[in-house]
Amino acid sequence: EVSLVESGGGSVQEGGSLRLSCQYRGFAYRLAWFRQAPGKEREGVAVIFGIRGTTYYANSVEGRFTMSQDAREKSLYLQMTSLKLEDTAMYYCAAASSPGGDWANPQLYNNWGQGTQVTVSS
C-alpha cells in the first residue's frame, strides 16, 4: 500500500508555469502523474521508474513538463511550463505495485492521491 499526497496546484495564465509535488510513502515499481479534465478520461502525463529514474511523457506535454523524483525525501515533482488552456485538469499522482504494461493505463495503478487542481486561463 502506497499513500500519496499532492500539492502545488492553482490558477495560472497561459504560458505560465506551475510545480506540482507529491509526497509518497511505501514502495512502488513506478510512479506517475495523471490528469483528468471534466468529461474526459484520465490521461497519463508522465511516469518515472527504475534505478536510473527513467521518464516517459505523453506527447501532449513532451518538452513542456518535467517529472523528477527525490527518493530520499520520497517526493515526486512535475514542473509544468508553457501551460496551455488544455492543461486544465485535476492532476493525480499514482503508484503501481507491479511492473509491466502500458505506463499510461490508469488501471495498472492501484494507489492514488486525492488530486490537485490546475486551471489555466487566457
Side-chain angles (χ1 to χ4, degrees):
E1 186 77 13
V2 180
S3 64
L4 307 114
V5 179
E6 304 95 336
S7 61
S11 297
V12 64
Q13 288 195 318
E14 268 189 299
S17 299
L18 276 176
R19 188 193 195 209
L20 305 184
S21 300
C22 174
Q23 194 82 25
Y24 64 91
R25 291 291 180 265
F27 173 78
Y29 276 97
R30 60 186 172 203
L31 296 156
W33 287 97
F34 282 79
R35 67 185 180 187
Q36 188 166 20
K40 293 190 175 182
E41 293 185 353
R42 193 163 292 193
E43 172 192 21
V45 175
V47 66
I48 192 164
F49 62 94
I51 297 173
R52 297 185 182 87
T54 301
T55 53
Y56 291 128
Y57 298 91
N59 289 338
S60 57
V61 307
E62 182 82 52
R64 300 188 298 121
F65 290 11
T66 303
M67 183 175 183
S68 60
Q69 178 184 22
D70 185 331
R72 187 163 61 178
E73 297 295 326
K74 288 194 174 292
S75 294
L76 295 175
Y77 304 100
L78 186 68
Q79 180 67 49
M80 306 184 294
T81 63
S82 302
L83 282 161
K84 304 177 180 180
L85 296 176
E86 53 264 39
D87 293 321
T88 295
M90 185 72 79
Y91 283 71
Y92 301 88
C93 57
S97 58
S98 58
D102 177 6
W103 73 264
N105 181 356
Q107 295 185 359
L108 299 182
Y109 295 81
N110 48 334
N111 294 107
W112 295 83
Q114 83 287 353
T116 186
Q117 178 69 36
V118 172
T119 302
V120 183
S121 59
S122 58

